[in-house]
Every structure is written in C-alpha cells, then in structure tokens.
Amino acid sequence: MNDFPDDLFDEKKIKKAVRRGKLKTIITVIIISIFVFGVLNIANSAIMANYSEKAFKQWDAYVRLSTPNGYISETVDSRGILGGISNYEISKDFKIKPVVIERKQYSFGLIPSVLISRGSGGKIGITGEDWQFGYKENGWREMLFFHPNVSYKKYKDDKEQIELMQGNKIYEVALSFDQPYKPSELFIQLPEMTWFWIDTYSSEQLNEFQQEAKEYDWSSTFIREKEALGFSINSPYISIHDLEGEYEQFLELLQISISPDHQKVYNKMKNIKLEDVEILGAVVYGTKEEIGDILKEPIIKASSIGGVIENY
C-alpha cells in the first residue's frame, strides 16, 4: 500500500509552494523595513527637533548678548541623519521697526553637518589713516567701543558726521563713557530702546587692551561690537529698578550662550549684584537732534555710528 499521495513530489506544486514562501518572506521583510524606517525616522525627527531647539536657544542667546538690540528673527532647518544645518537671520530692534542685518548658518545634532564658507575681503591692519572698522552684510558699520580704564591714542567721535547727515533718519550710535558708572550714578537722559554696555572684562583682558593701545596704531585699537556685552532696556531709564529684570535675563543668557567665553563671563558676574554692576557705555537710537542732545553730555567720551534707517 502506498502511504504517500501521488502528487507529493509534483514538481509544479513544489515550485508554487516555494514561490509562495518567497513572496511571504519578501512581504514580511518589506513590512518590517517600513516599520523600522518609520520608527527610525520618527526617532531621528524627535532627536533633531530637540537639538534644533537647543541650538537655537544657544545661538539666540549669543546674538542677544553680542549684538546690541539684536536677536534671531528667523531660522530654516535643513535636517540630515542625527544632524543638520540652520540658516538664520539676525535682526535689530531699531526703535521704530526691526531690520535684518545679517544671514548666517550654524550646525547642530549628534552628528553636526559640516559647514563650508567661502568669501573674500580685506584684512584689518595695525596702521592706517582711518578707523579700521568692519561692515555687516547689509553695509552697516560695526560700532566701536572704548573702555574708560584704557588710555587710547585717539577716540572715535561721529558728532560732526551726524550733524552733516541729511534727511529724516534714525541713527544707531554707540556711546563710550568717560568712566565706569554704577546704575545709581548714571544720571543721563536716554531715549527708549537703549542697550547698556556692561564691564565684564578680566584684569588680563584690560592689560591686553592697554598693551594694544600702546603698541598699535590708533586706527585699530578699540573694542569691537561683538566683544562688548550688554543688555537691552525697552523703557526710559529712570532708576536702578528699571534694570532688574533685564540684568537677570542677561545672566541667564550668559549661561545659555553657545560661546565658552560667555560661560566664563557668567562665572565672573553671577555673584555681582545689580547695584555693583559697572556700565561702560550705551547704544542709543534717535533722530539727529535727539542724538545731538545726548552727545552734549560731559560723560560721553566717544561715539560711533552703526546703522541708519529712514524714519517711517
């Protein structure tokens, strides 16, 4: 008696069964692959969102600290695998309206994307017949600051240049004081939308500034805009109480900033109370007449124009 069915070794049926098995395997692999891809994509998006948000806060803090009345107004992320690039715009609150001044990039993530930048331009030397300042992307000059505890051979004074300007415009001007002032000692009428320059420098930095002022030509010895740290105040300064919230935010930004130098400044400033903070200067915005009145104040040692916009 034959214990096996006649079609047990039917070649066609065997091939058909093999094809069905392969098809099931392929479908299973596809389903698993789609599932894994979806899980990995969701995980990657979650990781990128977290790192993107963290990077934005760090870079925005850096901009707010080192760009008077500046902030990141827009970001556009280009995401990859565990890393990406953010293209961002820096704007300034210019009293009557915000103005975009620069467009830059930063990378973020567990595997940050590589940034490649190309450009050309002149180098700042140590001799010259005019101030060796730089320019922003929109053509504005970078403002110059002069520390009151450093003796410079020459100080920037843009008073005459402002007086010669024509039209109804709003001017951004950096003011350097003749000495450091405590908030309670600063009796000067300043307009709204002011930025205060704070003394955050170590004795080693001041010695370096003084050595440069002594050895180099006057045209290249000053403190650049990004090296001057401070905070904004959006209402007229009347008393020390008007600065309390802004000073607390200033300390928070120092902690958050992407710059290791800002972390060092935080360690220096964290135990300094507002009443003991020293103000070295300010950035103000106003018409030619308003700025002219401020420049008459005897405490103004130097003045440097930054941006200029139409007053509308």
Side-chain angles (χ1 to χ4, degrees):
M1 182 177 181
N2 186 4
D3 295 331
F4 300 97
D6 295 337
D7 61 351
L8 177 64
F9 298 105
D10 190 313
E11 186 176 350
K12 292 183 179 179
K13 290 185 177 181
I14 293 174
K15 289 182 178 180
K16 187 175 182 180
V18 171
R19 285 198 297 269
R20 286 178 179 176
K22 288 182 177 180
L23 182 60
K24 287 182 179 179
T25 302
I26 292 172
I27 293 174
T28 302
V29 170
I30 291 174
I31 292 173
I32 293 174
S33 298
I34 292 174
F35 176 77
V36 172
F37 175 80
V39 170
L40 292 177
N41 190 51
I42 292 172
N44 185 63
S45 296
I47 292 172
M48 290 301 92
N50 179 63
Y51 277 96
S52 175
E53 181 67 18
K54 181 180 178 181
F56 169 78
K57 290 180 179 179
Q58 291 175 325
W59 281 98
D60 186 56
Y62 173 82
V63 170
R64 289 179 183 273
L65 288 167
S66 57
T67 304
N69 293 315
Y71 60 97
I72 294 179
S73 56
E74 183 180 6
T75 62
V76 178
D77 289 350
S78 175
R79 299 182 179 183
I81 300 176
L82 300 180
I85 294 175
S86 184
N87 297 277
Y88 67 99
E89 291 183 347
I90 299 177
S91 293
K92 275 196 176 188
D93 193 338
F94 219 87
K95 187 176 180 180
I96 62 173
K97 60 184 175 182
V99 181
V100 176
I101 59 172
E102 290 181 301
R103 292 176 174 84
K104 294 182 177 293
Q105 292 180 323
Y106 60 77
S107 58
F108 61 88
L110 288 173
I111 308 176
S113 301
V114 178
L115 294 175
I116 300 176
S117 178
R118 295 182 177 88
S120 61
K123 295 182 179 181
I124 297 176
I126 59 173
T127 60
E129 298 179 356
D130 197 4
W131 294 100
Q132 304 298 299
F133 42 69
Y135 288 88
K136 297 182 175 63
E137 288 181 4
N138 69 343
W140 287 357
R141 290 180 180 178
E142 292 185 353
M143 293 178 289
L144 315 184
F145 293 86
F146 299 82
H147 198 293
N149 291 336
V150 177
S151 298
Y152 298 91
K153 296 173 184 175
K154 190 173 180 178
Y155 293 82
K156 192 83 164 69
D157 183 3
D158 281 339
K159 183 178 179 180
E160 289 187 7
Q161 183 176 353
I162 294 173
E163 291 175 348
L164 293 173
M165 299 287 277
Q166 302 295 321
N168 185 24
K169 302 180 185 296
I170 295 292
Y171 300 89
E172 176 188 46
V173 181
L175 308 176
S176 298
F177 297 153
D178 61 342
Q179 67 180 50
Y181 288 92
K182 301 288 179 64
S184 59
E185 301 171 336
L186 192 60
F187 299 105
I188 178 175
Q189 185 63 39
L190 295 173
E192 294 184 14
M193 203 60 246
T194 296
W195 182 88
F196 285 110
W197 176 29
I198 306 301
D199 190 359
T200 60
Y201 306 100
S202 64
S203 57
E204 290 79 9
Q205 286 176 302
L206 287 179
N207 290 335
E208 183 179 342
F209 292 153
Q210 186 59 70
Q211 192 69 17
E212 290 175 351
K214 180 180 179 181
E215 294 181 356
Y216 293 169
D217 189 84
W218 59 265
S219 64
S220 62
T221 51
F222 45 79
I223 295 175
R224 303 188 183 282
E225 185 175 321
K226 292 188 180 300
E227 298 170 345
L229 302 183
F231 58 81
S232 304
I233 178 170
N234 296 319
S235 59
Y237 172 65
I238 299 175
S239 69
I240 189 173
H241 300 293
D242 299 313
L243 304 180
E244 290 177 348
E246 284 77 6
Y247 182 61
E248 289 299 322
Q249 185 182 37
F250 172 72
L251 294 178
E252 291 178 7
L253 292 174
L254 287 172
Q255 286 183 280
I256 298 171
S257 174
I258 192 70
S259 171
D261 292 335
H262 291 174
Q263 302 292 330
K264 295 178 183 177
V265 171
Y266 172 75
N267 292 331
K268 176 182 183 295
M269 302 292 296
K270 63 182 178 180
N271 296 321
I272 299 178
K273 296 182 179 179
L274 175 59
E275 53 265 31
D276 296 322
V277 168
E278 293 187 330
I279 299 175
L280 307 178
V283 173
V284 295
Y285 300 83
T287 63
K288 180 166 62 175
E289 291 74 20
E290 291 171 334
I291 297 297
D293 290 339
I294 296 172
L295 294 180
K296 294 176 183 177
E297 295 285 345
I299 73 170
I300 307 300
K301 184 72 174 180
S303 58
S304 174
I305 294 178
V308 181
I309 64 171
E310 295 295 334
N311 188 12
Y312 63 86

